[in-house]
Amino acid sequence: MADTAGPRAVHPPFFALHAPLAVYAANVSLIAWPAVVKPAAAILLAVAVVWGAVSWLTHSARRGAAAASAAVFATFAYGPLVTACGWSDDGPLGIAVWALFAGLAAWGAARLARAYAATTSLLNVAGLAMCSLALGSIAVTRVSIGKHLHANPTPGTSAAKKPAGPLPDVVLIVLDGYGRTDTFERLYGFSNQEFVDALRRRGFYVAQNAHSNYSQTELSLASTLNLHYIQDLVPPGPTMEEARGILDGLIQHSEVSRRLKSIGYKTIAITTGFPALRFEGTDLVLGFEGGNALFLDALLEKTPFRRSNASRISQFDQRRDLLRAAFDHLAEFGSPSAAPRFILVHILAPHPPFVFGAHGEEVRPKGPFGLWDGNHYMAVLGNVETYRDGYREQAQYIAEKTLRAIDRLVQGRGQRPIIVLQGDHGPKSLLNQDALGNSDLDEAFGILNAYYVPEELRSRLYPSISPVNTWRLVLGFLLGTPIPNGPDRSYYAPWSEPLKFVDVSQRLTPALPGRTEAGL
């Protein structure tokens, strides 16, 4: 199979690696690099088999290499080509058309490699250039993220001193997209007042006029866990991918976690599949690393081998399992431990996809699996009515599961934990995530914000407290060194430009009058 003259073919591995590297380059902030390894190895193996088989049949390694590179190119060009042409056939006819196209491309490339030795040189250069560009993009993004994180430490950081006496467990439960009572009553046709009252009976302070500081998860959590607004943490300038990588780094290695670790806390994260939240700096992570599935889906979407409807249904089943497991994990920490624990729980609900009914019954959403919200949800999955119906049902079930987990956390303990229960933003049936426009900001920014804290700390809470001030109060209490509050403000940013902020604080209205702490 050796060719007697001409350049040696080395391009098939480059063509094989280009697709996984390109997908990773576009999702550096969402995906951990190990997610790339297995798919890349599988593609390399498939290309090697084609290369070897055609080389054996044609008695020419160069012709085999050209056929293999052409086949892999045709495979990963399928998805973009189908999308560009507006063709919706992913069934047997689509596979047959692709097979014909890939076969002709491989045959034509092999013929060219036989007739023209320069074809091999051209393919070598093209394959190397494609891989180099993808690797360069990954490197630039990684370096930029690291540079910004290193150059911009959390402002106001000071050395922590370990307080005297035993320290309580500290639990932050983030219910992704959980809104405020008046929002539910105004737009969703139900009231969660029973849930709020149940929290108050258990000793929670519920801030009835609370707003989130941002309307995106990464912005909200990065700000909350670092005690400052994003504008004080990240300078303008990074690209969208760089910005999200910086935000994810701030979440995974947060100021709250660092300060609590410095006084003896063990850190534990419970996740439910949001790919960006990997909590790499945490002592223990329970849950699911969503980046693997996200990467594989993005890669398969470029090929004829997209996920079948049955496979998509299994993703919704997996979503239910992850959410149930997260609450089970949380309940397991009801028993005391030798060292105090900071437990951060991110529940990716009632945020879409909507997979639970009000009493925990399984719901089978129509359409593809995805984490779309706001106008992105409307563009892919449904309309305002289907959004509100699904959200209303799932929110009620999540409230029930949250109460059960809280009961396990607080019962049978000698020392009460500190529990913060927050939405990172509200629901988004009327939010345009690309342009502010006529979005309903009260819906998107109104959140549940509840605190189970000692009386000394409770006395410092107030109805409009926002998440950026949460940990100033809690850490100040635990460290015995008060941290002054900042202003409670809210900022909108487009999805594609997460650092382009618009102050919408004056456009938000307080909650409608209702039950108060004193009225119970």
Side-chain angles (χ1 to χ4, degrees), residues 164-507:
L167 292 167
D169 280 351
V170 177
V171 184
L172 170 59
I173 306 172
V174 178
L175 302 182
D176 202 307
Y178 199 97
R180 214 169 56 185
T181 302
D182 57 310
T183 296
F184 299 148
E185 294 174 348
R186 179 171 63 92
L187 297 175
Y188 286 78
F190 85 108
S191 175
N192 77 329
Q193 190 64 54
E194 183 178 346
F195 174 46
V196 172
D197 290 344
L199 289 171
R200 287 174 171 157
R201 285 195 298 271
R202 287 161 170 79
F204 277 80
Y205 176 95
V206 181
Q208 66 178 24
N209 285 329
H211 291 100
S212 63
N213 303 113
Y214 302 92
S215 61
Q216 297 181 30
T217 296
E218 289 161 294
L219 292 169
S220 181
L221 289 184
S223 173
T224 300
L225 293 170
N226 288 283
L227 289 66
H228 286 80
Y229 288 98
I230 299 301
Q231 296 90 316
D232 299 322
L233 298 169
V234 183
T239 65
M240 180 179 75
E241 191 63 29
E242 292 167 350
R244 295 205 177 279
I246 294 166
L247 295 172
D248 298 340
L250 288 169
I251 295 169
Q252 295 181 103
H253 305 280
S254 70
E255 180 68 7
V256 171
S257 181
R258 286 197 300 270
R259 291 206 189 192
L260 291 178
K261 277 188 171 184
S262 72
I263 58 173
Y265 275 81
K266 297 296 183 183
T267 54
I268 299 164
I270 300 175
T271 69
T272 51
F274 189 81
L277 303 185
R278 299 188 289 270
F279 299 104
E280 294 166 347
T282 304
D283 296 320
L284 175 65
V285 179
L286 299 171
F288 173 74
E289 173 48 64
N292 291 5
L294 176 73
F295 178 78
L296 189 57
D297 278 350
L299 200 58
L300 289 175
E301 280 298 308
K302 294 180 175 295
T303 75
F305 312 112
R306 303 177 180 191
R307 287 188 184 270
S308 66
N309 187 54
S311 177
R312 287 171 177 159
I313 289 174
S314 74
Q315 290 181 287
F316 292 115
D317 292 336
Q318 185 181 60
R319 165 66 38 201
R320 278 186 285 273
D321 291 342
L322 289 169
L323 292 172
R324 292 190 189 105
F327 285 109
D328 290 341
H329 286 314
L330 178 57
E332 291 170 1
F333 291 104
S335 301
S337 65
R341 299 167 296 197
F342 171 47
I343 306 167
L344 196 165
V345 189
H346 178 252
I347 302 293
L348 191 50
H351 186 290
F354 305 123
V355 296
F356 283 116
H359 304 291
E361 58 270 32
E362 295 185 357
V363 173
R364 300 275 186 184
K366 296 180 180 179
F369 178 87
L371 304 181
W372 300 285
D373 204 357
N375 64 304
H376 299 159
Y377 171 95
M378 309 304 167
V380 178
L381 292 177
N383 53 37
V384 172
E385 183 179 355
T386 61
Y387 183 103
R388 290 180 179 172
D389 287 345
Y391 182 98
R392 178 173 57 247
E393 296 291 303
Q394 188 151 280
Q396 293 177 76
Y397 176 66
I398 293 300
E400 176 191 335
K401 294 289 286 184
T402 300
L403 284 177
R404 290 182 185 177
I406 286 172
D407 286 341
R408 291 284 300 275
L409 284 175
V410 301
Q411 291 174 359
R413 282 175 174 262
Q415 185 179 27
R416 289 173 31 149
I418 289 175
I419 304 174
V420 177
L421 174 63
Q422 290 176 333
D424 54 347
H425 54 75
K428 300 180 181 179
S429 71
L430 295 176
L431 183 74
N432 188 323
Q433 302 211 96
D434 302 307
L436 191 52
N438 296 319
S439 296
D440 189 317
L441 298 178
D442 286 320
E443 177 195 22
F445 283 89
I447 58 167
L448 172 70
N449 196 8
Y451 301 81
Y452 184 81
V453 294
E455 190 59 40
E456 178 184 344
L457 183 54
R458 183 189 182 100
S459 65
R460 299 180 58 196
L461 299 171
Y462 50 97
S464 60
I465 185 173
S466 66
V468 75
N469 282 315
T470 294
W471 294 98
R472 290 172 178 247
L473 293 178
V474 174
L475 286 177
F477 171 79
L478 290 173
L479 301 175
T481 304
I483 303 173
N485 276 11
D488 293 298
R489 307 201 66 78
S490 297
Y491 296 92
Y492 170 90
W495 182 260
S496 59
E497 298 180 274
L499 301 183
K500 185 178 180 180
F501 299 110
V502 178
D503 189 337
V504 296
S505 307
Q506 299 304 313
R507 296 176 60 174

